[in-house]
């Protein structure tokens, strides 16, 4: 009943985007009985079904006027299917990374909005809150900018509490709620421990530059790299620096140059770890409809 009600409400919204895929589902006379996931045979049936649907979605996206998927790891679908079959109780961890202003936060905000609308069990965690406390260093140098100019490399793996992050992710994966630290983005460099409650939902999305660093990357079930051109990223960064951080243009440009170097050194190498490389300048409505479609195909059983 839920699926039918959902379709009646949202069908017209699919018009020019993903509607052809949804239409093929609606007109199909073959509906799969909901598999018994407590049995391996049931999980194998579900994995085969999802493989088929994901391949259809990927093929559709390739033909779309502005594709969401830039690259996909060739063995991702088969590996993910094995994970669903062999480890069904583990909570799903999705890691999203990308260089500064590539679109990570915007895409995650859209995911959060649509999953809340659909009442899906999803939590979102930012690795930016796992920066180490550098308040004493900022006091020593006077300001964050002076600390940066001294050569301190805040975006390196050494600048994060990776051990705390890993422990928190491990707890979330087995269903334990956590309290993540909170890094204050006000130039003080203060990190408050155990400050943000995060519920261990069926799916947790973890976004930030530290997501695919060594020591963290292997815990994820799905790894995503967001990519956008330097021109788009620079425009976003300068706008954000002026509107949200009240930075003058000279200092914003100086910090941008630092981020370009840090991104090439620490973030770009993690691209090769990703299962998906996603367009950071993609149509957010299209992204929403992909999520809705995935929600539909995982619920469209007899």
């Amino acid at each position: 009943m839920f699926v039918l009600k959902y379709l009646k409400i949202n069908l017209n919204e699919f018009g020019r985007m993903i509607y052809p895929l949804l239409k093929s589902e609606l007109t199909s006379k073959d509906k799969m009985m909901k598999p018994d996931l407590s049995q391996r045979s049931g999980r194998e049936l579900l994995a085969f079904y999802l493989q088929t649907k994901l391949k259809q979605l990927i093929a559709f996206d390739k033909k779309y006027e502005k594709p969401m998927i830039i690259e996909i790891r060739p063995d991702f679908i088969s590996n993910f299917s094995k994970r669903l079959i062999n480890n069904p109780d583990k909570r799903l961890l999705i890691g999203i990374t990308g260089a500064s202003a590539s679109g990570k936060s915007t895409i995650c905000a859209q995911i959060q909005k649509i999953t809340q609308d659909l009442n899906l069990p999803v939590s979102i965690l930012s690795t930016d809150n796992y920066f180490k406390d550098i308040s004493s260093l900022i006091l020593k140098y006077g300001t964050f900018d002076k600390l940066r100019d001294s050569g301190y490399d805040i975006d390196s793996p050494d600048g994060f509490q990776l051990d705390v992050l890993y422990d928190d992710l491990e707890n979330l994966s087995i269903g334990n709620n956590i309290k993540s630290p909170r890094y204050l983005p006000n130039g003080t460099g203060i990190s408050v421990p155990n400050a943000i409650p995060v519920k261990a939902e069926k799916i947790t999305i973890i976004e930030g530059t530290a997501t695919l660093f060594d020591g963290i990357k292997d815990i994820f079930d799905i790894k995503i790299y967001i990519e956008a051109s330097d021109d788009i990223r620079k425009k976003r960064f300068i706008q954000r620096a002026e509107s949200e951080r009240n930075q003058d243009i000279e200092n914003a440009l100086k910090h941008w140059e630092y981020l370009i170097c840090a991104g090439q050194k620490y973030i770009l190498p993690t691209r090769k770890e990703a299962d998906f490389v996603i367009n950071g300048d993609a149509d957010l409505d299209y992204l929403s409809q992909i999520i809705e479609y995935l929600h539909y195909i995982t619920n469209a059983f007899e």
Side-chain angles (χ1 to χ4, degrees):
M1 289 298 294
F2 172 77
V3 172
L4 291 176
K5 180 180 178 183
Y6 162 75
L7 292 175
K8 287 178 182 177
I9 293 171
N10 292 280
L11 185 58
N12 291 332
E13 298 176 6
F14 284 81
R16 65 184 181 85
M17 295 183 184
I18 211 164
Y19 176 71
L21 271 183
L22 182 59
K23 183 179 179 181
S24 68
E25 296 291 334
L26 291 172
T27 56
S28 174
K29 295 180 180 179
D30 297 322
K31 293 292 182 182
M32 189 172 78
M33 296 294 294
K34 187 173 183 179
D36 181 359
L37 301 183
S38 67
Q39 301 293 320
R40 183 180 179 87
S41 58
R43 298 195 297 273
E44 288 175 342
L45 180 61
L46 177 63
F48 176 76
Y49 167 78
L50 291 178
Q51 280 189 43
T52 302
K53 298 305 177 184
L54 285 174
K55 287 176 181 177
Q56 289 175 353
L57 177 59
I58 291 165
F60 177 87
D61 182 69
K62 284 182 180 179
K63 298 175 182 178
Y64 187 62
E65 59 190 32
K66 195 174 183 181
M68 178 70 61
I69 302 170
I70 297 173
E71 292 180 20
I72 179 172
R73 185 181 291 275
D75 59 357
F76 166 72
I77 291 179
S78 61
N79 288 342
F80 184 63
S81 297
K82 292 174 185 175
R83 145 65 174 94
L84 292 178
I85 294 168
N86 297 323
N87 198 0
D89 296 328
K90 180 179 179 290
R91 306 297 176 95
L92 191 67
L93 299 183
I94 302 175
I96 298 180
T97 194
S100 181
S102 59
K104 299 184 300 297
S105 298
T106 301
I107 285 174
C108 283
Q110 188 72 4
I111 292 172
Q112 187 170 42
K113 177 183 180 298
I114 196 66
T115 53
Q116 286 176 347
D117 290 345
L118 295 171
N119 198 29
L120 297 178
V122 177
S123 290
I124 294 183
L125 174 68
S126 173
T127 65
D128 287 357
N129 281 309
Y130 289 82
F131 278 118
K132 290 180 177 177
D133 189 306
I134 54 172
S135 55
S136 60
L137 286 172
I138 289 177
L139 286 173
K140 176 181 176 181
Y141 283 89
T143 65
F144 173 86
D145 295 331
K146 289 179 180 178
L147 174 61
R148 176 202 63 207
D149 294 344
S150 75
Y152 182 80
D153 200 352
I154 189 172
D155 284 341
S156 77
D158 291 337
F160 290 86
Q161 305 173 66
L162 294 182
D163 54 342
V164 177
L165 175 58
Y166 186 86
D167 287 346
D168 283 351
L169 294 179
E170 198 167 44
N171 272 300
L172 289 169
S173 74
I174 59 175
N176 296 331
N177 299 337
I178 65 159
K179 287 186 177 180
S180 83
R182 182 192 297 274
Y183 182 81
L184 305 183
N186 57 3
T188 62
I190 293 173
S191 175
V192 182
N194 302 315
I196 304 174
V198 181
K199 187 177 179 181
E201 296 283 12
K202 289 184 179 180
I203 301 171
T204 301
I205 296 172
I206 299 90
E207 68 94 4
T209 55
T211 303
L212 298 188
F213 283 164
D214 287 340
I216 301 296
K217 61 186 181 183
D218 293 332
I219 200 169
F220 293 108
D221 302 289
I222 302 174
K223 299 185 282 289
I224 297 173
Y225 187 94
I226 308 294
E227 189 165 81
S229 71
D230 285 350
D231 288 342
I232 289 173
R233 291 173 51 224
K234 182 177 181 180
K235 181 179 179 181
R236 289 173 178 169
F237 178 80
I238 297 301
Q239 288 175 341
R240 190 169 63 194
E242 292 178 320
S243 63
E244 298 178 16
R245 299 173 184 171
N246 200 29
Q247 283 183 297
D248 63 74
I249 188 67
E250 182 179 353
N251 187 55
L253 288 171
K254 184 183 288 187
H255 195 61
W256 171 250
E257 291 304 318
Y258 162 75
L259 289 172
I260 285 288
C261 294
Q264 291 174 344
K265 187 175 182 181
Y266 302 119
I267 312 305
L268 185 58
T270 68
R271 187 184 189 277
K272 67 180 184 298
E273 306 293 341
D275 298 308
F276 292 91
V277 178
I278 298 295
N279 180 7
D281 192 34
D283 186 323
L284 293 180
D285 288 337
Y286 178 51
L287 170 63
S288 296
Q289 293 181 9
I290 287 176
I291 295 169
E292 290 183 301
Y293 175 74
L294 291 172
H295 173 62
Y296 170 70
I297 64 172
T298 54
N299 288 278
F301 302 111
E302 288 288 356

